[in-house]
Amino acid sequence: MQLRNIAIIAHVDHGKTTLVDELLKQSGLFRDNQPTFERMMDSNDIERERGITILAKVTSVVWKDTRINIVDTPGHADFGGEVERILNMVDGAIVLVDAAEGQMPQTKFVLSKALKRGLCPIVAINKIDRLDARPNEVINEVFDLFVALGATNDQLDFPILYGSGRDGWMAEDEAGPKNQGLTPLFELVVRHVPLPAVASGLFRMIGSILEVDPFLGRIITGRVYSNSIKPNQTIKVLTQTGEVIETGRVSKILAFRGLERQSIEEGVAGDIIAIAGLQKGTVADTFCDLSIKEPLIAQPIDPPTVTMNFLVNDSPLAGTEGDKVTSRLIRDWLMKEAESNVAMKVEESADKDSFYVSGRGELQLAVLIENMRREGFELAVSRPHVLMQTNENGEVLEPIEEVVIDVDEEYSGTVVQKLSERKAAMVELKPFGGNRARLVFHAPTRGLIGYQSELLTDTHGTAVMNRIFHGYHLFKGSIPGRTNGVMVSNDNGESIAYALFNLEDRGSMIIDAGVKVYQGMIVGIHSRDNDLEVNVLKGKKLTNMRAAGKDEAIKLTPPIKMTLERALSWIQDDELVEITPKSIRLRKLHLGPQERKRFEKKRLTKTD
């Protein structure tokens, strides 16, 4: 049976996973009466809840006499590390582009990586049935993007299909025919994507995806570059420097058959397989025959741009909601995660009680934290900080991101003003679908921390923002931070509605009545720029006096709900987010008022 290896590349919500669903169904993988569900490739709970792909996954379908291995890639820039490493495994790509939104930052990012590897993509214009679809303009935009990314003549001569992944059809013309389903796409993949290149020599494979199975142990997925491998064969693992880190026996070889992995007797060159039995080999390592001495060159991974401090939870409520609270457990989990997540780095602090975790962005770190809390961890995390670099002249460089904002024209002036204050430079402004405008900025990463919620407030929830790492540029100077102070609880106890009602004049509350609080915990947003200690435990004094209006019912304004992402981007340097399996709390780094004063005095002294 012939082989084809392809990746599906697209921006967030452009329909990758939905298209894979239809490819699986129309390939005859399922029986007619077999139940199926939406987004079958989204195996992670958070992926299903948020509707985004976080982990790259492999599946395969059989079309006539050809087996097609399909890699579903994440569409969000924060998970770009998943994309960079899986491009080693494929020989072609389907670039899926929304017929209305056109090419977006993540499309540009992944496509540049694919073109550098010499892949000749297929362009599929998806969601052609949208009322605001503009396929001809989108094709022109995609062609301009290929040119801007330095595509070769062969790559510029890309085939084009139009269709709707949700409705399960693709055709060479935007009007159809629709009754052929995805047959034109299957046939184009077989015709356009080359057979896997097979090298001569003994067995070699680069690890691309690492996971841990409770029964099989570590499972490494990758593409076999040369020769073949069988169960019980002894192989070794080489790092990128050529160092041998492990020699071991392969206990099992697994191949992707639809949504399942099946045990096979031989993994052949060109196929994507998974092997089990080794204890140390990881992503970007070369798995090879014992006589091989030179490793295969792995795809370079862009460095992390944002770091956070993970600390042991030391609040008065520590240990009341989670069962994993020690630094040892936190360290073990983070180190294990860093092995499989190549875009993440973990460093231990000198006191061994905290860990500096670096990643591509706030969303990647927020998903990491969400996974930890679902496994029963309690911890505290600091505000994200941007990782700077220094050039040869000793000048400080900071990461810059390309930001694309689609917004109603009436709000475009506000967006330009707010981003200008955050040191962003506008590079493009053009009309986009009716009364909307598309704004493109180059903005410092640190200026974008916390901007998402502010953007939605300024535009009444109508704006859509996408961002991607652009490069490192000279430090752009200080950026104004949060303008409001916070209200901090001055005692331990349970919040009372009467106290919260009387504090509403001072600002907005972020907790409700009946919530456990402690000294130093943030309970509200002050209307002024200074912090304010408040008493949320104060109840109404009982007297024997009766008067009209004395016992009116208290009506509290609903508190502002802090999601994990919003809390991480909203806090300041002297504040932490306390995370447990049941709660997300905001608190001061130093809980006692005297400690906070000493900390502030030291900070002002250093600044002077």
Side-chain angles (χ1 to χ4, degrees), residues 20 96 106 232 414 471 495:
V20 173
L96 204 63
Q106 184 68 3
N232 297 318
T414 305
S495 60

Side-chain angles (χ1 to χ4, degrees), residues 44 54-56 79-86 207-213 217-221 279-285 301 332-346 364 368 371:
N44 185 294
I54 294 172
L55 304 171
F79 309 107
E82 294 280 326
V83 178
E84 290 163 333
R85 64 186 181 186
I86 63 91
S208 296
I209 301 174
L210 169 68
E211 53 191 307
V212 179
D213 184 272
R218 291 163 70 94
I219 298 177
I220 289 284
T221 299
Q279 304 298 318
K280 296 180 182 177
T282 186
V283 173
D285 289 344
I301 304 296
D332 291 346
W333 194 95
L334 289 173
M335 294 300 180
K336 183 178 174 183
E337 181 68 17
E339 284 184 5
S340 59
N341 193 337
V342 292
M344 168 185 157
K345 291 184 180 178
V346 179
Q364 183 194 9
L368 180 81
N371 282 325

Side-chain angles (χ1 to χ4, degrees), residues 46 50 52 54 78-79 306 308 310 333 357 359-374 379 381 384 563-569 579 584:
I46 298 179
R50 298 180 182 230
I52 60 174
I54 294 172
D78 282 20
F79 309 107
V306 174
M308 290 169 55
F310 285 46
W333 194 95
V357 182
R360 288 284 179 82
E362 300 158 64
L363 180 60
Q364 183 194 9
L365 295 174
V367 168
L368 180 81
I369 295 166
E370 183 65 32
N371 282 325
M372 293 185 74
R373 71 185 293 229
R374 291 185 184 207
L379 67 156
V381 295
T563 61
L564 180 56
E565 289 94 334
R566 186 174 182 181
L568 292 175
S569 60
I579 294 143
I584 295 174

